[in-house]
Amino acid sequence: MDYTSIGITVLWTFLFLYIIVALIDFGAGFFTLHSKLTGEEKKINHLVERYLNPVWEVTNVFFVFFFVGFVGFFPASALYLGTVLLVPGSIALILISVRGSFYAFEHYGQDTKLPWIFLYGLTGLLIPASLATVLTISEGGYITEHGSHLDLDWLQLLLSPYAWAVVFLAIVSVLYISSGFLTYYASKAKDKVAYHFMRQWFMFWGPPMIIISLFVFLSLRIQNSDHFYNAVTNYWWMFAISFVFFLIAGVLNLMKKYHGLAFIMVILQMGFAFYGYGLSKLPYLLYPYIKLSDSSVNDSMGLALVIVFVLGLLLLIPSLILLLRLFVFDKEYVEGKK
Amino acid sequence: MDSVEISRFLTGMTLAVHIIFATIGVGMPLMFAIAEFLGIKNKDPKYIALAKRWSRGYTITVAVGVVTGTIIGLQLSLIWPTFMKMGGHVIALPLFMETFAFFFEAIFLSIYLYTWDRFKNKWIHFIISIPVIIGGSFSAFFITAVNSFMNTPAGFEMKNGKMVNVQPFEAMFNPSFLVRAFHVIATAGMTMAFVLASIAAFKLLKNKYSKDTEYHKKALKMTMIVGFLSTLLSMLAGDLSAKFLHQVQPEKLAAYEWHFESGSKADLVFFGVLNEKTQEITGAIKIPGMLSFLADNNVNTKVEGLNDFPKDTLPPMIVHYFFDLMVSMGVLCFIISGAFILTMLIKKLRKYTTHKGLLYAVLLTGPASMLAIEFGWFLTEMGRQPWIIRGYMRVSQAATQAGGITLVTILFGLLYFVLLVTSAYVLLRMFKNKPAQEDVDKVIGKGGHE
């Protein structure tokens, strides 16, 4: 494998990991807000807090990691993407900042304040939407080029059914994945109230997510037909597998059994869809301006990055396992006895 | 302002905010680790409570540090896309390693903050602070490597306007890396120690809860010792930096000191007003030969003057003031902490250790050292003008061409304002009307230590 393929595989994986942990985090914020507003905060807040307090900071790093790695492996794309994403990227950054800091202010501060829960609960839904816009833009059709001057065609973007479908999919996925994880966490904590609450949400958001996914597919055909046909002819099986995992997760939840397994099914379902989308998108990073091969990194730097990456993982994986063992897999901690 | 100036302003603003929290982020883990160490070793619940309270406040600053750090990481590409296209793949290694160090720190910080009561052996919890300190320092190291590269680029060849044949490690360990990293780490330790000393001095002066006096005195002594030692290191690092500039970036050193004509026995100029046309300096305190001495430990050393460099490669002359301010703040902290240490060492003076006058002086060290950090970064960043990569790419070539930069700048300005005000508010409320004795009692209640 050459460095570009290694690079994109690694980065796509990190983006996927970020999506999973971040969506759990974002959704948890929304559920906290929701239960606060409906006066049912006692149901889930303690549970959410016990999980989130120790891990939220780590979540953020996955994102920085992806971004820095992307610029490192594909420096040529920095010019295009950096220019085009100035405004949408900055808005996403501001949302992420508001959420991160107000989360800390709310949870570690002296007393809780509703406006602060509002800020981090709502930004949690807007961040995936604004980040998903980046994926939308990369499908092409929203950039105008005059000589060396690049501009984002905002009107085109705001009127595009594809863009909106992706935004809705992002929001629904937040609620789906997050409630899926929290159902598992609650069942592990033997917290009946929170468990029923989260399970309801999970069952509720499954079907709309599949419907919106279909709509995203159909509108992709209009937006970028190359990508669409590549996806349905070469990679249809990945999406089919994804759907099977979705069904298994749903059935396990209906049976109220094996919630750990059910959440693994959810991850696999997301994983197959995500990699299927990514693979069918290649060879373009930004359609039709940047191909994967155009922006490859210099060989010696590619090698250095890969080496550092492997060494870094050797350091990170045990640390992450330690973190999970202390806060997710530690029975007494999860049950609130520590 | 044109888009280049707005881009510079936005980046400067982001960094000015981030550097406050980044400095705390690098210095603070060391401080609470020392406190916890002393607490466990001396079986002193006051030190344990100190470590706990410091780390609790730290959660707030770390949150803002993480988000502003994320912002600057992405803004590099959003505001300076041409720079990242040219140099992104050369600095990729330290950038990548920085995120690893940050990751490592984040994981162990989470564990540290939430496992105070988890381990039977109290040393295990202390040991967790070590990876936090390592992660924090290394992330400072690596990000300084990126900045050093922009000052003293190395490890590549230039072909048709492209950087090719990249040597990753040569680029990372570029000539100015070590001396800058040393300065960054030493001053972070110094600043954090003095900020905490200021808080202790403030609490002692206010004396709201008489039960807390012992606690704050312990904090004061510990932070002043750490502060004094790291001030010595910072001054050594500063001296090395000046010598380095003399060797490698003479135009920067000359601009710091308004040194126009090359020559030996160069004067060190302190403050004053410059008439840029006539190159006359009025109202300054001049120390003859000191600049030569600073550059090379010899008053006869020839120091290159600004007139020897092309006019369009000179930094703005305002950097002189930043240099003077940074140095004065550093010297001020040195004198105050030195005086404090003397009162601790000499028996006859010991009664002055918590004398009101000295406490008021200590109160100044925190803000002074934080200002010194800001002045220092303004100095070094403006001193690199007009280059973004010295000798290879000008700032004006690197700025974004995209529309919307003004809007984005306003939005970020609002964000920073809100973040600064709210984090200060939250921190004040966390410790206001919360006597430290309560926390000490809690520690004692759990068996004197954890």
Side-chain angles (χ1 to χ4, degrees), chain A residues 54 108 111 149 300-301 326, chain B residues 66 89 110 114 118 166 401 429:
Chain A
Y108 309 126
D111 37 23
H149 199 90
S300 46
M301 182 54 93
L326 285 170
Chain B
V66 167
H89 61 301
S110 296
Y114 293 95
R118 293 274 289 266
V166 178
Q401 298 285 314
R429 279 190 58 91

Side-chain angles (χ1 to χ4, degrees), chain B residues 105-373:
Chain B
E105 182 192 2
I107 291 174
F108 282 95
L109 181 64
S110 296
I111 297 177
Y112 184 86
L113 292 175
Y114 293 95
T115 52
W116 277 99
D117 314 319
R118 293 274 289 266
F119 305 109
K120 283 228 168 65
N121 184 345
K122 54 214 161 154
W123 287 108
I124 292 182
H125 186 259
F126 164 75
I127 287 170
I128 293 170
S129 70
I130 292 171
V132 180
I133 297 173
I134 293 175
S137 318
F138 272 77
S139 93
F141 266 133
F142 294 132
I143 210 65
T144 311
V146 173
N147 185 270
S148 311
F149 173 83
M150 294 158 86
N151 277 277
T152 51
F156 62 91
E157 281 167 36
M158 215 54 190
K159 239 179 216 163
N160 307 324
K162 277 189 175 168
M163 292 180 171
V164 294
N165 201 7
V166 178
Q167 309 295 323
F169 288 93
E170 219 172 289
M172 187 164 101
F173 294 105
N174 58 74
S176 63
F177 167 56
L178 277 180
V179 66
R180 289 164 141 265
F182 178 32
H183 202 144
V184 166
I185 301 279
T187 51
M190 164 183 166
T191 305
M192 201 58 241
F194 285 139
V195 168
L196 294 171
S198 287
I199 295 173
F202 176 79
K203 293 277 186 186
L204 283 172
L205 282 167
K206 241 184 139 194
N207 195 22
K208 202 167 171 187
Y209 304 102
S210 50
K211 270 191 169 176
D212 285 2
T213 310
E214 256 326 286
Y215 168 91
H216 291 309
K217 274 186 186 168
K218 284 195 166 157
L220 184 66
K221 280 183 189 160
M222 184 205 126
T223 50
M224 283 317 262
I225 293 171
V226 177
F228 179 73
L229 293 177
S230 39
T231 307
L232 289 180
L233 289 178
S234 306
M235 290 182 5
L236 173 67
D239 185 56
L240 291 175
S241 300
K243 293 186 170 36
F244 175 83
L245 286 182
H246 168 67
Q247 299 285 336
V248 183
Q249 275 179 291
E251 78 280 12
K252 207 170 178 177
L253 186 65
Y256 287 179
E257 284 309 314
W258 289 344
H259 181 62
F260 288 95
E261 290 298 329
S262 300
S264 61
K265 297 198 174 118
D267 298 349
L268 190 77
V269 180
F270 213 58
F271 289 103
V273 179
L274 174 73
N275 182 335
E276 280 202 45
K277 278 200 188 114
T278 59
Q279 300 185 346
E280 271 174 31
I281 303 164
T282 45
I285 306 163
K286 291 186 186 178
I287 309 173
M290 193 60 194
L291 181 58
S292 293
F293 187 77
L294 196 68
D296 199 27
N297 287 343
N298 182 349
V299 289
N300 290 319
T301 298
K302 184 183 165 204
V303 179
E304 278 179 273
L306 289 167
N307 291 342
D308 285 6
F309 300 95
K311 267 234 151 62
D312 64 342
T313 60
L314 292 183
M317 291 300 123
I318 192 178
V319 292
H320 171 72
Y321 294 113
F322 289 122
F323 186 67
D324 286 348
L325 285 168
M326 174 186 80
V327 172
S328 342
M329 297 292 158
V331 171
L332 179 78
C333 291
F334 173 70
I335 293 171
I336 295 172
S337 57
F340 189 92
I341 299 291
L342 280 183
T343 65
M344 280 174 71
L345 289 179
I346 301 168
K347 255 194 179 160
K348 274 189 187 166
L349 295 175
R350 205 154 291 167
K351 59 187 173 197
Y352 296 112
T353 308
T354 48
H355 186 269
K356 260 198 173 168
L358 191 54
L359 286 182
Y360 274 113
V362 172
L363 197 55
L364 292 177
T365 56
S369 49
M370 195 52 99
L371 281 174
I373 296 268

Side-chain angles (χ1 to χ4, degrees), chain A residues 53-54 60-61 65 71 82-83 90 97 101 104 108 110-111 149 298 300-301 308 312 316 326 330 333 338, chain B residues 63 66 70-71 77 84 89-90 93 99-100 103 110-111 114 118 166 401-402 408 411 419 425-426 429-430 434:
Chain A
N53 275 350
N60 222 20
V61 191
F65 204 103
V71 175
T83 308
S90 296
S97 310
S101 6
Y108 309 126
Q110 187 60 38
D111 37 23
H149 199 90
N298 161 301
S300 46
M301 182 54 93
V308 166
L316 281 186
L326 285 170
D330 186 300
Y333 175 81
K338 272 186 183 170
Chain B
V66 167
T70 309
I71 292 174
S77 302
M84 285 309 277
H89 61 301
V90 192
L93 185 68
T99 47
F100 265 117
F103 217 142
S110 296
I111 297 177
Y114 293 95
R118 293 274 289 266
V166 178
Q401 298 285 314
V408 166
L411 289 179
L419 288 187
Y425 170 82
V426 172
R429 279 190 58 91
M430 254 171 130
K434 291 276 157 194

